[in-house]
Each structure stands twice: as C-alpha cells, then as structure tokens.
Amino acid sequence: GAGVSQSPSNKVTEKGKDVELRCDPISGHTALYWYRQSLGQGLEFLIYFQGNSAPDKSGLPSDRFSAERTGGSVSTLTIQRTQQEDSAVYLCASSLQGRNSPLHFGNGTRLTVT
Amino acid sequence: KQEVTQIPAALSVPEGENLVLNCSFTDSAIYNLQWFRQDPGKGLTSLLLIQSSQREQTSGRLNASLDKSSGRSTLYIAASQPGDSATYLCAVNIQGAQKLVFGQGTRLTINP
C-alpha cells in the first residue's frame, strides 16, 4: 500500500522567503508527526497531531514555524521568513494509534535556505 | 530531560557476522522504545517496537532487548548481510508526551 508521501522532495529558497512543506499520511492513520533532521544533529521533534485533539506544538523552534492538518489527513508545515539555520531535512511520520503503534516515515523534504 | 545515546557511532563488520548495537537512555520512565533503520536520502523504517513491559521483540534476523531499569536496549543482528548496511536509530517514547526522543544513530557497514 501507499506509504507516507512528502512534497516537494527538495526545496531551495532564499533567506526571508516563506515555504510550505506537505505531508500525506497513510490512509486511516490518526496520528501525524513532523520531525527535523539537521546535519550532525539527531532527529528533533516539531509537532504532533492526533485526531481532532489540539496539536502538541511544544517542539516548534520559533513562531516562524506553524503547521496545520486539514480534515484529519493532509498536513502542511509552514516556515515564514526562512533563515539559513532552517536548512534541514523535514520528515513527516504517521501512525495508526499514536505512540502505541510504529511510526511510518516519509522520505522527507530537504530544505536549503541560501 | 531524556537523553538517548548510541555507541558506537559507526561500525564496520564482514558479512555473516552476528553483531550488537547499543542504545542507552537516561530516564527509565519510558512508554516504549523503537528501533529504526535509515538508508541514505530516505526516511526511517520502523524495525521493532518494544513496550515498556516487554523484555524483547524479534523479527526475522533481528532481536531487540529492553532493560528499562538500567536504561539500555540492544539490537542484535544475526548473520549480517550487505543489505543490512544503513544507519540504525533507537528512540524512546517518554511518559506523559507523544514525542520520540532519538539517539544519534549507529552507521553500520557490512562488507561483502
């Protein structure tokens, strides 16, 4: 079956521009996560969505970052006024039942801010 | 604050060997622990999930153990193959939160 799909796979943007990253989770998965993976760093939690509950935004590094999940399915991560330190691979994952189930990751969006 | 450490950072072994990857965590109040593999330029693939009440999980040539009280997990790979070459990450699901805390990973190379 189809896995987690992320688009675009690569994005190069100029410092100060806004970017939107998209995630299509596996159908039927109620939980959706965004993580960030930087060179030399581990995976950093950003945000978590579960069904209709309020999202856990505790990992968002600044107010330039926001995310939404429409209709309990597709999610968009938006970064406003991008900075060079935002350059990283942004990974989306979904799971059937939140932390009780294995996470399925997409291939990520590699963001480069020039 | 939960910290996850994986040692070694890199490991290279000849094909056919059995090997063990190590993961340690500082806070034993975990909900579960997962092992993932990551191939270059790809996302993570879940290998095994161990609940906090379990001691081990097995899938094919992989066996993961969990000793929550000592803050340790190991991933045992039997009869290694070149296709096992990847970065292996462990991650703990902490109590009271939905996020996974990841280690830095062990980069494994299996030489034919």
Side-chain angles (χ1 to χ4, degrees):
Chain A
V4 176
S5 177
Q6 291 189 246
S7 60
S9 55
N10 281 284
K11 177 72 177 178
V12 180
T13 190
E14 292 181 352
K15 177 181 172 182
K17 301 279 189 181
D18 298 351
V19 295
E20 285 189 352
L21 312 180
R22 178 187 167 103
C23 172
D24 278 283
I26 293 173
S27 178
H29 281 197
T30 61
L32 186 146
Y33 305 76
W34 283 97
Y35 283 84
R36 177 168 73 174
Q37 188 172 33
S38 307
L39 264 178
Q41 306 285 329
L43 273 86
E44 175 188 7
F45 167 80
L46 298 177
I47 190 168
Y48 162 76
F49 296 90
Q50 172 67 56
N52 295 321
S53 303
D56 177 355
K57 304 179 182 180
S58 61
L60 294 178
S62 77
D63 59 8
R64 296 186 296 105
F65 287 73
S66 63
E68 63 177 18
R69 188 178 184 192
T70 54
S73 182
V74 171
S75 177
T76 302
L77 177 68
T78 301
I79 309 173
Q80 296 178 311
R81 304 180 304 280
T82 52
Q83 304 293 312
Q84 287 186 330
E85 60 262 29
D86 299 334
S87 296
V89 176
Y90 289 82
L91 293 163
C92 175
S94 69
S95 73
L96 187 59
Q97 295 179 334
R99 61 181 180 176
N100 291 312
S101 310
L103 263 63
H104 298 262
F105 280 82
N107 285 335
T109 294
R110 179 175 298 280
L111 176 65
T112 304
V113 182
T114 60
Chain B
K1 179 187 171 186
Q2 177 73 268
E3 292 183 359
V4 180
T5 304
Q6 292 186 247
I7 295 173
L11 180 64
S12 180
V13 300
E15 180 178 3
E17 282 202 3
N18 303 324
L19 58 99
V20 173
L21 306 181
N22 297 295
C23 172
S24 61
F25 46 95
T26 54
D27 188 343
S28 62
I30 66 169
Y31 191 81
N32 56 37
L33 181 146
Q34 293 187 51
W35 282 93
F36 297 87
R37 69 174 278 169
Q38 185 174 29
D39 294 283
K42 302 289 186 182
L44 282 68
T45 300
S46 179
L47 298 173
L48 290 163
L49 183 154
I50 311 178
Q51 300 293 350
S52 63
S53 58
Q54 297 176 319
R55 297 286 293 184
E56 65 179 336
Q57 281 286 338
T58 298
S59 176
R61 294 183 294 108
L62 306 179
N63 176 276
S65 68
L66 174 64
D67 184 343
K68 200 174 69 164
S69 60
S70 68
R72 293 182 181 181
S73 176
T74 61
L75 179 67
Y76 175 82
I77 302 176
S80 58
Q81 302 171 358
D84 295 330
S85 298
T87 296
Y88 289 79
L89 298 112
C90 76
V92 297
N93 223 313
I94 60 178
Q95 292 281 4
Q98 292 289 343
K99 64 180 182 181
L100 284 169
V101 178
F102 283 83
Q104 298 278 358
T106 294
R107 190 172 68 253
L108 176 65
T109 303
I110 308 298
N111 301 303

